[in-house]
Amino acid sequence: MQATMPDRTPDTLYQRIADQLAASIRAGTLGRGDRLASVRELARQQGVSMATVVQAYRTLEDARLIEARPRSGYFVAGRTGVRRAAEPETTPLPPQAQPVAVRSLAAQVMSLVHDPAFVSFGAVWPGADLFQEERVRRAVTRAAQRHRASLCRYPTGSGAAEFRRAVARHALALGCRLDPEHIVSTTGCQAAISLCLRAVTQPGDVVALESPTSFGFLELLESMHLRALEIPTHPRHGLSVDALSLALDTQPVKAILAVPTLANPMGSCMPVPERRRLAQLVARHRVPLIEDVLYNPLCAHDDQRRAVRSFDDAGWVMLCGSYSKTMAPGVRVGYVEAGRWTEEVKHLKAVHSGSFTELMELALADLLMQPGLESGFRQLRNTVAARLEEARALAAESFPRGTRITDPPGGYILWVELPAGSDAMALYQACLRERICIAPGSLFSTTGRYGHCIRLGLGGRWTDAQRQALRRVGELAHGVVPAGGAAA
Amino acid sequence: MQATMPDRTPDTLYQRIADQLAASIRAGTLGRGDRLASVRELARQQGVSMATVVQAYRTLEDARLIEARPRSGYFVAGRTGVRRAAEPETTPLPPQAQPVAVRSLAAQVMSLVHDPAFVSFGAVWPGADLFQEERVRRAVTRAAQRHRASLCRYPTGSGAAEFRRAVARHALALGCRLDPEHIVSTTGCQAAISLCLRAVTQPGDVVALESPTSFGFLELLESMHLRALEIPTHPRHGLSVDALSLALDTQPVKAILAVPTLANPMGSCMPVPERRRLAQLVARHRVPLIEDVLYNPLCAHDDQRRAVRSFDDAGWVMLCGSYSKTMAPGVRVGYVEAGRWTEEVKHLKAVHSGSFTELMELALADLLMQPGLESGFRQLRNTVAARLEEARALAAESFPRGTRITDPPGGYILWVELPAGSDAMALYQACLRERICIAPGSLFSTTGRYGHCIRLGLGGRWTDAQRQALRRVGELAHGVVPAGGAAA
């Protein structure tokens, strides 16, 4: 059973208990490997229900502060005991809006994702081993049996009603109350964003977005002859609402495209108060915010899974999502709830692509309505967190001194800042020669600011081949650091 | 087993026999209901194989000149013995290119297609009863079982390899030899055309197309701020290549969008020599031709199923198709082979929508590779031909004198020209009041030339309710004919 996310979680009972324990862990009162009180004990101590304690422990598990050991109880987690990399700092102030030209390099990176001769860290495509193939297949077969008529009948334009209802229900976990009638199915999140941009911009318009940002977004803008205005972004706290506010006052911004939760590539998550401010800001300026919630279920912080859309009651936020990163990468179904532009988006979908096969939407609706959805997400978060932690530790050992690496609360990405002046394109080329693909930082901006950065996509296979390749990227990086840089 | 279509069919043996018999039927030598020689007899008479005679008889069946009666043999078919409507004439000379604005009326017509309170002749969506639901469902279930890994793996950008191979094989029946590597899957034919237009035009450009044309095309142009240059079109022989040639000499046409086989709404089919001329013309002018082959398998004339693309060896023709009108309306999978613009189209697909669920492509590949594909198309052609003939006869009885109705060799559409000066919008409104939806002629052009026409889409359910509604449309039409018009 899903519930609307409360307005501010810190005031709830379980969160208060979790906060107290987290403070004790951070202060060293509870040390690595220490056993915590049992659920029953703590419930008695605090005078709360056992369910509340379970929820508090889960929150701490999600934050990777504690871990459950089967039949033993809960223990304070130990960060891997290797050299820790520092995290990057806020990206710089906004430049002028720029035309976009990342296409050919992006195409090269993406062309290698499916090449079995390469170890690819180039894409953010999670691998099949993270998901429940058999469960997905059964849902598809059930849908094909139950809805056979849908295969030989033209579908309605907005998508299968069951799917739209399931999305509305799942959106409750993002804090959003959506009307299924206003939801439109798409072939994924990028397709949803493409529809939104077409609905609210004309060629030449300025679109504000995080810096660095997804190269898929830059390719979209490039293809539509839009200009990108990059907004400073903090590696942990995301888009700077102050900087965006300044930009809205001084530049002709026609739309904002943002990923408030686990923004690609830095994995930043906006704090809840900033989400509220962002919603208020776009309403005041009457500018549409295209919000990408693709990664929200992957965020370890319960409160930061909440969408900016949940603070918008006047339709300025266009909500875009899909389940390719969280449930079934090969089931290419996404959605958009476009607020004030709902009719325009429905029209654009009908005209440019018609309706889509309902079967996949029905299968996804089935999966979304099954019990265990949230625990499936929790399991995925934990698996991926362990992998990111391991990768971060490997990178910290092999990359040059002075390298900074993000430490995101979820997702499939590490963003690596090599020492200033390092040549990430040279590193990209050196890696290609050894059949390893990484994504050079210049792909993630129109400003040329990230020439010393790389993105590592870690959602694919994760075996010794990948571990070894990751170490090798770090070794090769020593060759692209400017003289004196590696010793800094 | 499919074979490439021969360059000119009239020279082949079966066609010669069919032509002789057709001439005898047209001359009255063979009268309505006459029994033809048995296959064995005729083979002996003509000194040819029985297979050749079977093929000749099938050709005549497709042309609705003869009919097979189970266990009795072949008989000369009788056109229904009611009053026959005349056919429309060639549409007028090309005007200047026009901006497009059909959107709101089109939206109203389409919104009623799924409304059970209405009898809808508004869309060209074939109904489930025309297709083999169980066969489609089995193909989907098989694909889900055999390719379960595809559900949890990001698909490659161009589409499933099996699907692209199946399309290439089926394209042989259109006379085209395609490289599967150059084929890109889409979510339908309209999506394919949208990609092509985006690849070859900029806002403000002029696109030449048939007149009248599909309102879906006009909506696409409107949405992309393109201007429509309408080219005179003959109800039987299609786009006037002479008029197009003139237009290419005198106007800045950036692309041509054409449906050489069963063009919507008139059902015209270009003769094969004109197809060859069209291919030569666009190559000479170095202008892309976007060719829609959606309806080709529905055409009763074997030779006119051949695509213009088959005469193009330099990549000027962008071939767009899907199977929504011919195999499974709910399986929204189409394709494009974009000639010189293949890389551009692949890029646009990747950026604007990413890849699609491979499962539906795999199911369609399965269906396309099954034996009996061509006989399935033949059966569909015969069913639909009988329905169109019945509808045409009903219309001839009930519509005002002076009404002209197309007599297309296949497809789901009749195009009705009321007497000059009739107000088809008033008829549309009158029909709506009686819960019947038709498509008024003004939707099919930017020129305002078809204000006295309507399109009847007859692919949906076909029961007494539809028959009665069709008669009623004809009766209501008497009320919109100008004074004296009905008596003309």
Side-chain angles (χ1 to χ4, degrees):
Chain A
M1 182 56 201
Q2 290 175 320
T4 310
M5 188 170 289
D7 200 74
R8 289 281 297 155
T9 47
D11 297 337
T12 59
L13 210 48
Y14 80 88
Q15 187 71 45
R16 213 155 55 212
I17 296 169
D19 285 349
Q20 289 163 2
L21 285 166
S24 303
I25 292 167
R26 287 203 193 91
T29 315
L30 287 166
R32 184 180 165 200
D34 281 354
R35 192 178 180 284
L36 297 174
S38 74
V39 170
R40 184 181 302 272
E41 281 164 12
L42 190 59
R44 207 175 302 134
Q45 278 173 26
Q46 300 270 346
V48 298
S49 73
M50 283 169 62
T52 300
V53 174
V54 166
Q55 201 166 1
Y57 279 1
R58 279 198 180 150
T59 305
L60 293 167
E61 247 189 306
D62 283 343
R64 289 181 275 158
L65 287 171
I66 68 171
E67 56 196 28
R69 296 186 193 154
R71 284 181 300 279
S72 303
Y74 288 90
F75 295 80
V76 176
R79 293 283 195 153
T80 324
V82 294
R83 195 174 98 198
R84 303 269 310 149
E87 290 177 62
E89 294 175 353
T90 302
T91 56
L93 280 170
Q96 291 302 304
Q98 302 284 332
V100 185
V102 298
R103 171 175 165 181
S104 62
L105 183 55
Q108 189 181 28
V109 170
M110 296 310 284
S111 72
L112 297 173
V113 175
H114 284 283
D115 187 333
F118 275 74
V119 173
S120 176
F121 303 122
V124 194
W125 292 356
D129 57 323
L130 295 172
F131 303 98
Q132 300 175 42
E133 285 185 346
E134 188 52 29
R135 190 171 187 167
V136 176
R137 191 191 67 73
R138 279 202 304 267
V140 170
T141 305
R142 262 198 308 273
Q145 270 155 3
R146 283 200 299 213
H147 303 274
R148 67 183 69 185
S150 81
L151 291 166
C152 285
R153 208 170 48 195
Y154 257 81
T156 52
S158 296
E162 293 87 334
F163 172 68
R164 291 184 281 110
R165 276 198 299 272
V167 168
R169 180 168 152 178
H170 179 235
L172 293 175
L174 309 176
C176 302
R177 297 186 177 281
L178 306 183
D179 180 346
E181 291 298 312
H182 296 168
I183 293 170
V184 175
S185 70
T186 67
T187 54
C189 196
Q190 181 95 351
I193 293 167
S194 170
L195 282 171
C196 290
L197 284 172
R198 272 189 268 173
V200 299
T201 66
Q202 300 290 329
D205 281 352
V206 173
V207 177
L209 71 184
E210 286 120 353
S211 182
T213 186
S214 150
F215 63 77
F217 292 174
L218 293 178
E219 288 186 295
L220 257 183
L221 300 195
E222 181 176 355
S223 161
M224 298 174 74
H225 308 287
L226 297 167
R227 285 178 298 155
L229 178 65
E230 296 182 31
I231 304 296
T233 301
H234 185 276
R236 277 186 178 260
H237 308 311
L239 186 80
S240 163
V241 178
D242 290 331
L244 177 64
S245 176
L246 178 68
L248 289 174
D249 284 337
T250 57
Q251 305 210 30
V253 174
K254 287 290 161 51
I256 299 151
L257 171 52
V259 191
T261 302
L262 294 174
N264 176 357
M266 292 203 298
S268 55
C269 291
M270 292 177 73
V272 173
E274 291 300 288
R275 291 172 194 246
R276 187 197 300 269
R277 275 186 71 209
L278 178 55
Q280 289 163 346
L281 182 69
V282 300
R284 197 162 65 244
H285 284 269
R286 306 178 69 81
V287 172
L289 167 66
I290 304 170
E291 180 181 20
D292 177 343
V293 295
L294 179 62
Y295 300 109
N296 286 41
L298 296 176
C299 178
H301 305 316
D302 285 349
D303 60 336
Q304 292 176 356
R305 292 200 284 276
R306 179 167 181 174
V308 174
R309 171 69 176 75
S310 72
F311 296 107
D312 166 47
D313 49 16
W316 295 105
V317 179
M318 308 169 87
L319 192 76
C320 298
S322 92
Y323 301 95
S324 307
K325 298 285 197 284
T326 47
M327 295 190 69
V331 176
R332 302 289 296 137
V333 178
Y335 64 88
V336 52
E337 199 272 2
R340 290 173 178 244
W341 293 273
T342 295
E343 287 311 311
E344 185 64 26
V345 160
K346 284 183 181 177
H347 172 71
L348 285 168
K349 176 185 170 184
V351 166
H352 286 275
S353 49
S355 48
F356 303 129
T357 311
E358 290 202 335
L359 179 67
M360 302 316 287
E361 299 175 3
L362 296 168
L364 200 47
D366 179 341
L367 289 167
L368 283 169
M369 299 302 260
Q370 283 176 24
L373 180 69
E374 289 300 330
S375 72
F377 288 148
R378 176 184 305 279
Q379 193 182 330
L380 179 61
R381 285 197 292 268
N382 291 339
T383 307
V384 176
R387 182 187 296 187
L388 272 200
E389 176 126 345
E390 188 189 353
R392 200 167 185 276
L394 285 175
E397 286 173 349
S398 64
F399 275 74
R401 269 173 197 280
T403 298
R404 291 166 179 272
I405 308 177
T406 52
D407 188 14
Y412 306 107
I413 301 173
L414 292 180
W415 175 250
V416 179
E417 267 187 34
L418 298 170
S422 299
D423 184 350
M425 271 305 294
L427 177 57
Y428 169 69
Q429 299 293 351
C431 288
L432 283 191
R433 282 190 291 274
E434 305 203 6
R435 300 199 176 277
I436 302 168
C437 186
I438 60 174
S442 54
L443 272 178
F444 301 89
S445 174
T446 60
T447 64
R449 284 238 172 74
Y450 306 107
H452 62 304
C453 301
I454 62 169
R455 186 187 74 176
L456 298 171
L458 300 159
R461 285 164 57 83
W462 185 246
T463 68
D464 282 343
Q466 278 73 32
R467 292 184 184 95
Q468 199 175 327
L470 182 57
R471 267 191 225 101
R472 187 65 190 140
V473 176
E475 288 163 16
L476 289 168
H478 288 265
V480 303
V481 174
Chain B
M1 182 58 199
Q2 291 176 319
T4 310
M5 189 171 287
D7 199 74
R8 288 284 295 155
T9 47
D11 296 338
T12 61
L13 208 48
Y14 81 87
Q15 187 70 47
R16 213 155 55 213
I17 294 170
D19 284 351
Q20 289 164 3
L21 285 166
S24 304
I25 292 167
R26 288 201 192 92
T29 314
L30 287 166
R32 184 181 165 197
D34 280 356
R35 191 178 180 285
L36 298 173
S38 76
V39 171
R40 184 181 304 272
E41 282 164 12
L42 190 59
R44 210 177 298 136
Q45 279 172 26
Q46 299 271 346
V48 298
S49 73
M50 283 170 60
T52 301
V53 175
V54 166
Q55 203 167 1
Y57 278 2
R58 280 201 179 148
T59 304
L60 293 168
E61 246 189 307
D62 282 343
R64 291 181 273 158
L65 287 170
I66 69 171
E67 55 195 29
R69 297 187 192 152
R71 283 180 301 277
S72 304
Y74 289 89
F75 294 80
V76 176
R79 292 282 197 154
T80 322
V82 296
R83 193 176 97 199
R84 303 269 311 149
E87 291 178 60
E89 294 175 354
T90 303
T91 57
L93 280 169
Q96 292 300 305
Q98 302 284 334
V100 185
V102 298
R103 170 174 167 181
S104 61
L105 183 56
Q108 190 182 29
V109 170
M110 294 312 283
S111 73
L112 297 173
V113 175
H114 285 282
D115 187 333
F118 275 75
V119 173
S120 176
F121 302 122
V124 195
W125 292 356
D129 57 322
L130 295 171
F131 303 97
Q132 300 174 44
E133 284 185 346
E134 188 52 29
R135 190 170 188 168
V136 176
R137 192 191 66 73
R138 278 202 304 268
V140 170
T141 306
R142 263 198 308 274
Q145 270 155 2
R146 283 200 299 213
H147 303 275
R148 68 183 67 183
S150 83
L151 290 167
C152 285
R153 209 170 48 196
Y154 257 79
T156 52
S158 295
E162 293 88 333
F163 172 68
R164 291 184 280 110
R165 277 199 298 272
V167 168
R169 181 168 152 180
H170 179 235
L172 293 174
L174 309 176
C176 302
R177 298 186 177 281
L178 306 182
D179 181 345
E181 292 297 312
H182 296 168
I183 293 170
V184 175
S185 70
T186 68
T187 54
C189 197
Q190 180 94 350
I193 293 167
S194 169
L195 281 172
C196 291
L197 284 171
R198 271 189 269 173
V200 300
T201 66
Q202 300 289 329
D205 282 353
V206 173
V207 176
L209 71 184
E210 286 120 353
S211 182
T213 185
S214 150
F215 62 78
F217 292 174
L218 292 178
E219 287 185 297
L220 256 185
L221 300 195
E222 181 177 353
S223 161
M224 298 173 75
H225 308 286
L226 297 167
R227 285 179 297 155
L229 178 64
E230 296 181 31
I231 304 296
T233 302
H234 186 277
R236 277 187 178 259
H237 308 311
L239 187 81
S240 163
V241 178
D242 290 331
L244 177 64
S245 177
L246 179 68
L248 289 174
D249 284 337
T250 57
Q251 305 210 32
V253 174
K254 285 290 161 50
I256 300 151
L257 171 52
V259 190
T261 302
L262 294 173
N264 176 357
M266 291 203 299
S268 55
C269 291
M270 293 177 72
V272 173
E274 291 300 288
R275 290 171 195 248
R276 189 196 300 270
R277 277 186 70 209
L278 178 55
Q280 290 163 345
L281 182 69
V282 300
R284 197 162 65 243
H285 284 268
R286 307 179 68 81
V287 172
L289 167 67
I290 303 170
E291 180 181 18
D292 178 342
V293 295
L294 180 61
Y295 299 109
N296 286 43
L298 297 176
C299 178
H301 305 314
D302 285 349
D303 60 336
Q304 292 177 356
R305 292 200 284 276
R306 178 167 181 174
V308 173
R309 171 69 177 74
S310 72
F311 297 107
D312 165 49
D313 48 17
W316 295 105
V317 179
M318 307 169 88
L319 191 76
C320 299
S322 91
Y323 300 95
S324 307
K325 298 285 198 283
T326 47
M327 295 189 70
V331 176
R332 303 289 296 136
V333 178
Y335 63 88
V336 50
E337 200 271 1
R340 291 172 178 244
W341 294 273
T342 295
E343 287 310 312
E344 185 63 26
V345 160
K346 284 183 181 177
H347 172 70
L348 284 169
K349 175 184 170 184
V351 166
H352 286 275
S353 50
S355 48
F356 304 130
T357 311
E358 290 201 336
L359 180 67
M360 303 315 288
E361 299 176 4
L362 296 167
L364 200 46
D366 179 340
L367 289 167
L368 283 170
M369 299 301 259
Q370 282 175 23
L373 180 69
E374 288 300 331
S375 72
F377 288 147
R378 175 183 306 278
Q379 194 182 328
L380 179 61
R381 284 196 293 269
N382 291 340
T383 306
V384 176
R387 183 187 297 186
L388 273 200
E389 176 124 344
E390 189 189 352
R392 203 168 182 277
L394 285 174
E397 286 174 350
S398 63
F399 276 75
R401 267 171 198 281
T403 297
R404 292 166 179 270
I405 308 178
T406 51
D407 188 15
Y412 306 107
I413 301 173
L414 292 181
W415 175 252
V416 180
E417 267 186 33
L418 298 171
S422 299
D423 183 350
M425 271 306 294
L427 177 57
Y428 169 69
Q429 300 293 353
C431 288
L432 283 191
R433 282 190 292 272
E434 305 203 5
R435 299 199 177 278
I436 302 169
C437 186
I438 61 175
S442 54
L443 273 178
F444 301 89
S445 174
T446 60
T447 65
R449 284 237 173 74
Y450 305 107
H452 62 305
C453 301
I454 61 169
R455 185 187 75 176
L456 297 172
L458 299 159
R461 285 165 58 83
W462 185 246
T463 69
D464 283 343
Q466 279 73 31
R467 292 184 184 94
Q468 199 175 324
L470 182 57
R471 267 190 226 101
R472 186 66 190 139
V473 176
E475 289 163 15
L476 290 168
H478 288 264
V480 302
V481 173

